[in-house]
């Protein structure tokens, strides 16, 4: 009997110690279970899975907050301002599209309430009636240094606030009707001829102060409004002027007090042949007098 009791004791003690250790582990793991304790490696892997998902979610949120959305949907929104402002610089009321790459061959759609457009030195070839139809707030347009050879007659008809228009260094042979509020018009370095100007092209521009038509192919001086201060007609093909070109030949009391500068240099006309043509001016025109 003593021998049997000893054998039973030797078998029960290790068994009891093992289960006591498992019970101790179970109690020290309040969020776990018996299955968790029995398979600690599996529990560790499963605990990492949701943590990994959260990290990716946070990274994704951080990227969307710090980096611009460059998906095609962002570039093709129904916003007419977006394509132009990706190619050009758009500030409050101003659009700068100078020497755009790839080549800009047409007037770009403009953001609403644009006042100033600078699209110099591009490859724009034509200005159509629809190009500025939705931009009545424009006050200044500069299209210097393009390849414009045609402007449709109604292209500027909606621009009642336009004060400055620059079309220098293009390929124009004729001019359309110009906006009535213009104060400055620059068409230097084109291919304009007198037949390409309407008889009243500038007559109704009662606010026009600066007119630049130098380096063209004009054969005669166009009608000049009373508001003019400066007119450049140098390097054309003007061969003659009359007593009515600048003054009113039927009266010597008329004085043109606003006009300060008249350039006629580089023309084949001899100004000395027409002494009565300048009696109303405060200063003589610049040009050849012999």
């Amino acid at each position: 009997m003593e021998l049997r009791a000893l054998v039973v004791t030797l078998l029960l003690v290790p068994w009891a110690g093992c289960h006591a250790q498992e019970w101790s582990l179970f109690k020290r793991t309040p969020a776990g279970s018996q299955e968790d304790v029995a398979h600690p490696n599996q529990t560790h892997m499963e605990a990492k899975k949701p943590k990994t998902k959260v990290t990716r979610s946070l990274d994704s949120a951080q990227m969307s907050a710090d980096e611009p959305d460059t998906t095609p949907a962002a570039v093709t929104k129904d916003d007419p301002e977006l394509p132009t402002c990706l190619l050009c610089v758009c500030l409050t009321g101003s659009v700068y599209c100078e020497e755009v790459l790839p080549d800009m061959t047409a007037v770009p759609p403009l953001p609403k309430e644009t006042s100033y457009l600078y699209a110099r030195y591009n490859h724009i070839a034509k200005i159509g009636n629809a190009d500025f139809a939705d931009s009545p707030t424009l006050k200044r347009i500069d299209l210097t240094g393009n390849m414009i050879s045609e402007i449709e007659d109604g292209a500027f008809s909606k621009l009642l606030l336009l004060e400055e228009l620059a079309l220098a260094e293009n390929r124009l042979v004729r001019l359309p009707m110009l906006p009535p509020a213009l104060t400055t018009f620059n068409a230097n370095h084109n291919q304009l001829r007198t037949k390409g100007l309407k008889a009243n092209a500038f007559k109704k521009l009662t606010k026009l102060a600066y007119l630049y038509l130098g380096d063209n192919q004009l054969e005669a001086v166009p009608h000049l409004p009373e508001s003019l201060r400066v007119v450049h007609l140098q390097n054309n093909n003007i061969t003659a002027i009359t007593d009515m070109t600048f003054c009113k030949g039927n009266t010597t009391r008329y004085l043109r007090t606003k006009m300060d500068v008249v350039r006629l240099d580089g023309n084949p006309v001899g100004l000395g042949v027409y002494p009565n043509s300048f009696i109303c001016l405060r200063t003589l025109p610049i040009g050849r007098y012999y």
Side-chain angles (χ1 to χ4, degrees):
M1 288 295 292
E2 293 179 1
L3 179 60
R4 182 179 297 178
L6 179 60
V7 171
V8 171
T9 301
L10 291 174
L11 291 174
L12 290 175
V13 168
W15 177 86
C18 181
H19 281 271
Q21 185 178 4
E22 289 184 2
W23 175 251
S24 175
L25 279 172
F26 180 81
K27 290 204 301 181
R28 285 200 302 266
T29 313
S33 65
Q34 281 187 323
E35 185 178 357
D36 293 340
V37 176
H39 305 282
N41 291 337
Q42 182 179 351
T43 304
H44 182 67
M45 290 175 64
E46 289 178 355
K48 281 189 175 181
K49 287 182 181 178
K51 185 176 181 180
T52 302
K53 291 180 181 179
V54 171
T55 301
R56 289 178 182 174
S57 177
L58 289 174
D59 290 344
S60 177
Q62 185 176 2
M63 287 178 63
S64 64
D66 295 342
E67 298 180 7
D69 187 357
T70 56
T71 60
V75 178
T76 58
K77 289 179 181 177
D78 295 331
D79 185 353
E81 303 177 9
L82 190 60
T84 297
C85 294
L86 288 175
L87 293 173
C88 309
V89 176
C90 296
L91 302 177
T92 304
S94 301
V95 177
Y96 298 86
C97 301
E98 301 190 0
E99 299 181 277
V100 173
L101 292 175
D103 294 341
M104 178 177 287
T105 57
V107 175
L110 299 177
K112 294 179 181 178
E113 300 182 358
T114 298
S115 296
Y116 306 100
L117 169 64
Y118 302 90
R120 299 182 293 187
Y121 304 106
N122 289 293
H123 291 73
I124 299 172
K126 178 182 178 180
I127 301 177
N129 290 339
D131 288 340
F132 298 114
D134 297 325
S135 304
T137 56
L138 279 168
K139 295 181 179 180
R140 180 185 300 166
I141 297 175
D142 192 342
L143 295 169
T144 299
N146 279 274
M147 300 179 178
I148 302 170
S149 59
E150 181 183 357
I151 302 177
E152 295 183 356
D153 281 333
F156 304 123
S157 61
K158 302 290 182 65
L159 305 182
L160 302 181
L161 301 179
L162 192 68
E163 297 175 354
E164 300 180 27
L165 177 59
L167 299 170
E169 299 176 41
N170 278 282
R171 302 175 181 179
L172 293 170
V173 296
R174 60 180 295 273
L175 293 179
M177 292 297 293
L178 298 172
L182 277 185
T183 61
T184 302
F185 179 66
N186 189 343
N188 283 342
H189 295 280
N190 276 276
Q191 301 169 21
L192 294 171
R193 294 178 175 272
T194 299
K195 65 180 181 180
L197 301 182
K198 300 182 185 297
N200 59 349
F202 307 108
K203 184 177 181 179
K204 295 182 179 180
L205 305 183
T206 58
K207 298 180 180 180
L208 190 64
Y210 303 92
L211 177 60
Y212 303 101
L213 296 172
D215 294 275
N216 279 280
Q217 300 175 22
L218 298 174
E219 298 88 4
V221 177
H223 179 86
L224 304 176
E226 295 288 329
S227 55
L228 272 181
R229 295 180 56 187
V230 175
V231 56
H232 285 190
L233 293 163
Q234 71 276 10
N235 302 323
N236 277 277
N237 294 322
I238 299 171
T239 57
I241 56 177
T242 69
D243 293 350
M244 300 293 290
T245 300
F246 300 101
C247 305
K248 296 180 180 179
N250 57 355
T251 177
T252 57
R253 296 181 179 180
Y254 170 72
L255 296 177
R256 197 159 195 159
T257 57
K258 292 183 178 180
M259 187 169 286
D260 296 324
V261 178
V262 178
R263 285 193 61 180
L264 284 166
D265 49 306
N267 283 280
V269 61
L271 300 179
V273 181
Y274 310 95
N276 294 330
S277 299
F278 319 120
I279 58 174
C280 66
L281 301 178
R282 297 192 299 177
T283 59
L284 290 175
I286 301 170
R288 180 171 63 88
Y289 282 88
Y290 52 87

